């Protein structure tokens, strides 16, 4: 089996600063409404005032998501044209020339990674900065991260280093697509 | 717009498949029956359906690329099966026009078209049950698609061939009622069980459906009244009044399934509800 | 489609289109291949970072960081920005990575709303009617107005408004710049003291610590066992560069327990806090008093430390001539006012459960070392001086001072970095007003007695001319934007306002002449900052000035020429000559500082991560290293404050209830406290017009589900927030991340009144007051009572 690459997210220490999202946006020159990497806020619990004092069990955490370059990428198997495909390094890549804009990949990806570009009428998505990696660099989001909670690398190595968890509250089960993703969950996000 | 084109595609194609199934049965039972109108309409609906499917594409002129991935993609298979069905139906119509006396070929092509069509419905359902939209997953999608094909196909067939289809009246009524009963029995409990789901995507889908509640009521009202009208006409002799009733029934079932299908697509929430 | 709801940009763009109509040449300057409004590329076609020329640049706005950003340039167009990625990026040798704002600079540089040429107001001030004029005409008018106003009303009628848009050493909006140099040559101008960030803190803290200001460096966070943050949210305000928030992570990983006291469950709380203690705004000093009560009554306080280093804690250590009952301890035990500051008393005010207060007191007293840190939020209140002064009491009472892992309840500090500054000469006017009182100074003569002006008994003139260079305080960031707009609309009061900016902001809208200024990408400049490390960055000129934009130095020269003072103004030095001088000073102070050429090429110099321990020398030997207070010790009781004899100005850090606080009678009409927290998406008002930022964090009013439900409001609903001063219409974010009774409208959104004067963008200052704080005469912009209803 070919080597697979993926992201590690230390969600426990992510402050939701959006720097990865903006670095991606700038590097890939994405139009408004299109985010290849997107930071989500999750919060819950209650904060109430009772008998004049505050009681709270609130929690909040962040999740930075891009394409997880899944082992069982449903966007790839579902794509009728072959536009969505595996590259030699196991990352999932998208060929704009083959894309007919059917958006079936958007119905297949549980991580909302493929985005429809209204100006081009086709899909686009995170390519894990294939250009930078070919030049021996990290993806833009990784080198942008202020808290150093994003890494990219061979997923086997990331799993050896950080374990194999890819499930947190708010994400679908990793059984669906086997994402090349490792997450150190925030304490409130542990599934 | 995306939902509208997908709705038109699947409803038109399924109606066409249903019609061709009954045309095939009709030509076998009524050896003198031609069912020309029904065949023409089936071919027309099929073509409209295929055309509609292209409207939701960002690049419709490259639609043929969708044939590339038969081996892996349910969507690609759907295009193959749908295209094949429409092609065979058009072929049957062409033979009917050119050599109407060659019944065996027409019957044979119709039979194959129906079989491909019925398979196409399974493939169409699989496109959605294999997606990452939890609301679409599960058997209810198959039931919705087949029930729509059978109920619409049967009643439209009857309406278009009222003279030739007398013998088939009871079969049509039985098919419609059976299809609708199965649709109600399979879909309603499924909706109720989904209401207890903690899956965020399901919750999101149900919230969308909730916003379309009026449309939902219309769907079931139209479908149920349409089915009841069929039962009512099944016991009567042919008359102009009955023709009108069949027309109303066909309209109700078609519109009911159509708006229901629109809701099906509109309720799309992927995976965990991330967006 | 987030951007489609972004009305500011659309509105001003429409206006711009009207102005620009008929001058296609200017629009033609816009690079069409790169701007954010240009067609986007699809991935893989062409890398926007590889095979580009990489030039060091800077992010220079007024946040808690300063950062290097690197421009990737092709054919004279910036395709994207990256940041510092040199070195090992270990905790000891960290990269100075820029935050989301630095990474969005391309949207500023190529924003379609950039000011493109000088303009002259043609309608009523603030009415938005403009005429394009030449640079010559703009400079002629400005020079004539400077001359006329100085001659008619004197130099003291000319005011430089607080402006913090750019912090280059040459392009410096808030202090040493060419316009100030020019005005000094002309005889000077009215000055201000303080700032909008921390006016109350910086005025009050010296009463306790002498000229003390900052505490221990964030590099020492992990050395603490317990970290207590009062209203500090570094996860939003101290992100870029090697900033506090990174060291919070290290502290957490090192096992440091982190407690955050804040009305909001901030991003800092969510990620780092072991305990969130929600508190009503304006009551931090009451919490401190309650904690002090527990410490004193349970004997947990460090009496020996207080005896040795402090004045005024108890009756035994008071300055001479002060009547009995004025010590801090007397106040806490209720001996002076009959009210013991028990946990029950504090709980009723703060909303914090009694048992939480008792436990926190024991935790702080029982955990060593304990790092007590305050943010700037708690002092931006009507009682802000005493909020600021109260927090250090916890460090003093527990002896957490001068050793590794401690902090005296002040802001975080850092190693110093030395460099030069642009010479502006001597100001002939010594009068200084509080930075927050310039609107009053337009309306009336300010006095030393009433308004605490410095350097004179009273102002010699009202303000007749304002220079507003790179700032949005003229309307947006000053309190009561509606009232300020009405004041400025009357051009018989302030007769001339010069604006220079990158954009048509709410403030430039109220200028008479607008000059289009360059961004940092169109000039060479240097910025410096002290955080975990001390840093200096060189920002190279990346692109030619856009449109007709000019730098402040160019404007200074042109005006000096017109005013006939070019001889004095021009010292024969180019911009680069100045920068070389500044670098020379840095080289003299920092032996490892590179050559000018190397610095310009690399663009970054940083010291090692430095563990600064606040007041280390003083604690080691207070006699040899006395503080610059009257007694040389830490003054818990300040005789200077006592001598003011003002009912709202206590000599010890008391809890002072405020007129728009949680216990105020006005709550019957306006039941909610409204604060305006800082977000990561803006630096004050900078970046409000960035669609990328709006996509990240749309402007919304935070409110608790309890308050929302009571008003029939759901998440995402459009709501109306109002009080006597104004009304804001904005969408609500209904979230348990904020206590009931409090709402928060993130500060910095651009004031956008509709035809009824209702701000539709969400500017907090629509609701804030001109009334200054009693001692510092500073801004109390978090102290507001409001009501909310569904719009």
């Amino acid at each position: 089996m070919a080597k697979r690459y993926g992201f590690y997210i230390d969600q426990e220490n992510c402050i939701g600063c959006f720097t990865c999202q903006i670095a991606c946006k700038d590097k890939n020159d994405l139009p408004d409404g299109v985010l290849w990497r997107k930071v989500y806020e999750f919060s819950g619990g209650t904060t109430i005032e009772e008998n004049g004092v505050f009681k709270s069990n609130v929690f909040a955490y962040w999740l930075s998501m891009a394409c997880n370059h899944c082992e069982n990428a449903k966007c790839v198997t579902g794509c009728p044209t072959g536009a969505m495909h595996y590259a030699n390094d196991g990352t999932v890549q998208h060929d704009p020339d083959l894309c007919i804009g059917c958006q079936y990949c958007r119905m297949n990806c549980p991580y909302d990674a493929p985005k429809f570009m209204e100006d081009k009428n086709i899909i686009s998505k995170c390519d894990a900065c294939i250009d930078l990696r070919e030049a021996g660099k990290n993806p833009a989001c990784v080198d942008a991260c202020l808290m150093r909670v994003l890494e990219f690398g061979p997923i086997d190595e990331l799993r050896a280093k950080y374990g194999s968890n890819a499930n947190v509250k708010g994400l679908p089960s990793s059984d669906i697509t086997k994402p090349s993703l490792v997450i150190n969950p925030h304490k409130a996000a542990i599934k | 717009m995306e939902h509208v084109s997908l709705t038109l595609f699947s409803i038109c194609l399924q109606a066409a498949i249903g019609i061709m199934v009954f045309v095939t049965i009709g030509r076998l039972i009524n050896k003198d029956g031609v069912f020309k109108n029904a065949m023409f309409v089936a071919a027309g609906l099929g073509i409209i359906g295929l055309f509609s499917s292209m409207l939701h594409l960002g690049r419709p002129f490259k639609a043929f690329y969708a044939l590339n991935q038969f081996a892996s993609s349910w969507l690609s298979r759907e295009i193959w099966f749908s295209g094949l069905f429409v092609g065979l139906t058009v072929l049957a119509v062409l033979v009917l026009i050119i050599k109407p006396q060659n019944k065996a070929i027409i019957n044979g092509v119709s039979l194959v078209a129906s079989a491909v069509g019925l398979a196409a419905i399974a493939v169409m359902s699989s496109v959605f049950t294999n997606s990452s939209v939890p609301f679409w997953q599960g058997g209810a999608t198959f039931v919705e698609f087949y029930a729509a094909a059978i109920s619409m196909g049967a009643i439209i067939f009857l309406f278009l061939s009222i003279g030739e289809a007398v013998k088939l009246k009871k079969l049509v009524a039985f098919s419609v009622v059976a299809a609708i009963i199965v649709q109600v029995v399979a879909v309603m409990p499924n909706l109720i069980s989904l209401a207890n789901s903690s899956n965020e995507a399901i919750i999101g889908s149900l919230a969308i459906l909730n916003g379309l509640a009026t449309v939902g009521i219309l769907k079931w009202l139209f479908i149920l009244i349409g089915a009841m009208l069929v039962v009512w006409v099944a016991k009567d002799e042919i008359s102009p009044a009955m023709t009108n009733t069949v027309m109303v029934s066909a309209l109700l079932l078609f519109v009911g399934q159509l708006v229901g299908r629109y809701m099906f697509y509109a309720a799309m929430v992927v995976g965990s509800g991330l967006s | 489609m987030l951007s489609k709801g972004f009305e500011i940009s659309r509105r001003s763009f429409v206006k711009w289109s009207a102005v620009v109509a008929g001058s296609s040449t200017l629009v033609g300057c816009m690079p069409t291949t790169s701007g954010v409004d240009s067609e986007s590329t699809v991935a893989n076609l062409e890398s926007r970072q590889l095979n580009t020329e990489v030039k060091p640049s800077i992010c220079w706005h007024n946040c808690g960081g300063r950062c290097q950003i690197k421009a990737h340039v092709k054919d004279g167009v910036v395709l994207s920005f990256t940041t510092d990625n040199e070195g090992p990026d270990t905790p000891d040798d960290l990269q100075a990575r820029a935050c989301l704002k630095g990474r969005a600079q391309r949207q500023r540089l190529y924003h379609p709303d950039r000011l493109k040429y000088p303009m002259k107001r043609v309608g009523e001030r603030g009415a938005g009617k403009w005429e394009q004029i030449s640079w010559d005409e703009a400079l002629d008018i400005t020079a004539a107005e400077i001359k006329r106003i100085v001659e008619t009303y004197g130099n003291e009628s000319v005011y430089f408004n607080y402006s913090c848009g750019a912090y280059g050493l040459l392009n410096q909006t808030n202090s040493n710049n060419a316009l100030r140099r020019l005005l000094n040559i002309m005889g000077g101008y009215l000055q201000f003291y303080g700032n909008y960030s921390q006016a109350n803190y910086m005025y009050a803290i010296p009463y306790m610590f002498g000229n003390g200001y900052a505490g221990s460096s964030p590099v020492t966070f992990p050395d603490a066992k317990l970290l207590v943050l009062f209203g500090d949210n570094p996860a939003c305000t101290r992100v870029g560069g090697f900033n506090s928030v990174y060291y919070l992570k290290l502290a957490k990983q090192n096992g440091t327990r982190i407690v955050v006291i804040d009305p909001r469950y901030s991003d800092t709380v969510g990620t780092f806090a072991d305990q969130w203690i929600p508190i009503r705004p304006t009551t931090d000093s009451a919490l401190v008093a309650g904690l002090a009560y527990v410490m004193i009554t349970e004997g947990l306080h460090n009496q020996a430390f207080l005896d040795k280093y402090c004045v005024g804690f108890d009756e035994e250590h008071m300055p001479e001539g002060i009547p009995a009952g004025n010590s801090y301890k007397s106040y806490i035990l209720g001996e002076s006012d009959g009210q013991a500051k028990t946990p029950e008393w504090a709980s009723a005010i703060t909303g914090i459960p009694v048992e939480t207060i008792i436990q926190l007191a024991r935790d702080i007293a029982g955990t060593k070392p304990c790092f007590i840190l305050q943010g700037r939020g708690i002092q931006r209140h009507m009682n802000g001086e005493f909020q600021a002064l109260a927090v250090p009491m916890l460090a003093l009472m527990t002896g957490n001072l001068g050793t590794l892992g401690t902090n005296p309840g002040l802001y975080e500090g850092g190693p110093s970095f030395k460099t030069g500054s642009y010479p502006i000469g001597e100001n002939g006017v010594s009068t200084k007003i509080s930075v927050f009182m310039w609107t009053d100074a337009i309306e009336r003569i300010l006095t030393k007695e009433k308004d605490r002006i410095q350097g004179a008994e009273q102002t010699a003139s009202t303000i007749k001319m304002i220079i507003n260079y790179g700032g949005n305080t003229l309307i947006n960031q000053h309190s009561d934007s509606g009232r300020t707009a009405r004041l400025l609309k009357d051009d018989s009061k302030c007769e001339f306002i010069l604006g220079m900016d990158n954009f048509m902001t709410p403030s430039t809208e109220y200028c008479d002449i607008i000059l289009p200024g360059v961004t940092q990408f169109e000039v060479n400049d240097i910025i410096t900052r002290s955080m975990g490390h001390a840093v200096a960055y060189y920002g190279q000129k990346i692109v030619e000035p856009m449109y007709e934009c000019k730098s402040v130095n160019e404007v200074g020269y042109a005006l000096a020429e017109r005013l006939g003072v070019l001889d004095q103004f021009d010292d024969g030095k180019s911009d680069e000559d100045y920068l070389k001088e500044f670098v020379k000073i840095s080289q003299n102070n920092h032996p490892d500082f590179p050559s000018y050429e190397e610095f310009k090429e690399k663009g970054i110099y940083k010291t090692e991560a430095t563990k600064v321990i606040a007041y280390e020398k003083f604690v080691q030997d207070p006699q040899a290293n006395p503080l610059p207070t009257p007694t040389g010790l830490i003054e818990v009781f300040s005789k200077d404050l006592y001598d003011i004899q003002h009912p709202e100005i206590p000599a010890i850090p008391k809890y002072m209830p405020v007129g728009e606080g949680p216990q105020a009678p006005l709550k019957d009409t306006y039941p909610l406290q409204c604060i305006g927290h800082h977000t990561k998406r803006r630096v004050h008002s900078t970046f409000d017009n960035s669609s990328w930022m709006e996509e990240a964090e749309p402007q919304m009013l935070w409110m608790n589900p309890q308050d929302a439900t009571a008003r029939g409001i759901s998440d995402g609903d459009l709501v109306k927030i109002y009080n006597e001063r104004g009304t804001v219409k904005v969408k609500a974010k209904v979230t348990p991340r904020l206590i009931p009774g409090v709402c928060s409208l993130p500060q910095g959104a651009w004031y956008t009144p509709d035809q009824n004067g209702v701000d539709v963008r969400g500017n907090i200052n629509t609701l804030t007051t001109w009334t200054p704080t009693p001692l510092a005469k500073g801004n109390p912009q978090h102290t507001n009572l409001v009501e909310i209803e569904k719009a």
Side-chain angles (χ1 to χ4, degrees), chain A residues 5-189:
Chain A
Y5 285 81
F7 287 103
Y8 165 67
I9 301 165
D10 177 9
Q11 188 193 28
E12 191 186 358
N13 289 303
C14 172
I15 56 170
C17 71
F18 294 98
T19 308
C20 50
Q21 174 177 317
I22 302 297
C24 172
K25 188 125 195 162
D26 180 47
K27 188 254 175 188
N28 297 302
D29 203 27
L30 304 176
D32 288 354
V34 175
L35 296 168
W36 287 358
R37 181 170 281 286
K38 182 171 157 79
V39 178
Y40 297 88
E41 177 195 347
F42 293 87
S43 65
T46 58
T47 302
I48 57 165
E49 185 176 339
E50 209 175 74
N51 304 321
V53 296
F54 302 114
K55 283 185 182 169
S56 179
N57 60 358
V58 66
F59 63 86
Y61 58 86
W62 302 92
L63 184 60
S64 171
M65 269 289 114
C67 175
N68 292 317
H69 303 281
C70 307
E71 193 179 330
N72 291 348
K74 288 182 68 174
C75 61
V76 173
T77 48
C79 181
T81 70
M84 210 63 97
H85 63 280
Y86 286 107
N88 292 336
D89 63 358
T91 56
V92 174
Q93 299 293 342
H94 177 256
D95 181 348
D97 291 336
L98 275 178
C99 183
I100 56 172
C102 71
Q103 303 195 51
Y104 189 46
C105 49
R106 294 188 61 217
M107 303 176 193
N108 271 314
C109 173
Y111 302 102
D112 199 27
K115 306 288 177 183
F116 190 65
M117 313 271 279
E118 283 181 12
D119 56 338
K120 297 263 190 290
N121 280 320
I122 54 167
I123 289 292
S124 72
K125 74 160 199 57
C126 159
D127 61 357
C129 289
I130 197 161
D131 56 339
L132 296 182
R133 290 190 295 111
E134 278 171 1
K137 295 167 187 280
N138 278 324
C141 53
V142 171
D143 274 0
C145 182
L146 296 182
M147 298 306 292
R148 284 73 173 174
V149 297
L150 268 180
E151 279 181 45
F152 186 85
I155 194 66
D156 293 345
E157 287 176 24
L158 292 176
R159 284 181 181 140
K161 217 161 134 190
Y162 300 112
S164 57
N165 177 56
N167 289 307
V168 292
K169 279 186 193 162
L171 273 190
S173 164
S174 61
D175 294 342
I176 302 173
T177 59
K178 294 203 187 328
S180 300
L181 175 70
V182 179
I183 305 180
N184 172 36
H186 185 278
K187 61 180 185 251

Side-chain angles (χ1 to χ4, degrees), chain B residues 102-185:
Chain B
N102 206 335
K103 285 187 182 172
I105 290 182
I106 297 170
N107 287 357
V109 174
S110 298
L111 182 68
V112 177
S114 298
V116 169
L118 288 171
I121 295 174
V123 175
M124 283 168 120
S125 307
S126 299
V127 167
F128 297 100
T129 56
N130 283 293
S131 76
S132 295
V133 178
F135 177 71
W136 290 342
Q137 293 161 355
T141 297
F142 283 90
V143 173
E144 285 265 26
F145 282 24
Y146 274 107
I150 299 298
S151 59
M152 292 188 300
I155 192 71
I156 295 171
F157 165 78
L158 182 63
F159 169 67
L160 294 172
S161 342
I162 207 119
E164 296 167 311
V166 175
K167 282 190 198 161
L168 295 154
K169 211 170 60 177
K170 287 209 162 55
L171 176 68
V172 164
F174 173 78
S175 303
V176 169
V177 171
I180 298 304
I181 286 173
V182 172
Q183 193 175 7
V184 171
V185 167

Side-chain angles (χ1 to χ4, degrees), chain C residues 494-516:
Chain C
C494 182
E495 295 181 4
F496 182 68
I497 306 177
L498 174 69
M500 179 160 171
D501 209 304
N502 302 136
F503 295 104
M504 181 67 93
T505 67
S507 292
T508 40
E509 292 243 31
Y510 280 80
C511 295
D512 300 311
I513 294 287
I514 300 177
L515 307 177

Side-chain angles (χ1 to χ4, degrees), chain C residues 322-384:
Chain C
I322 305 298
N326 275 299
S327 70
Y328 188 69
K329 193 173 168 186
S330 296
Y331 164 71
I332 295 299
L333 297 177
E335 284 159 6
S336 48
D337 60 3
Q339 171 64 62
K341 308 305 176 299
T342 60
E344 290 74 17
W345 170 86
S347 174
I349 295 168
T350 59
I352 302 170
V354 170
E355 53 275 22
T356 307
I357 296 174
I358 295 171
Q359 190 56 50
L360 179 63
R362 291 172 184 167
D363 288 347
I364 292 173
T367 318
K368 295 220 164 24
C370 177
F371 197 109
I372 313 266
L373 180 66
Q374 68 172 293
R376 282 139 183 89
I378 64 164
Q379 59 85 52
R380 219 172 287 114
H381 278 295
M382 197 56 99
N383 57 2

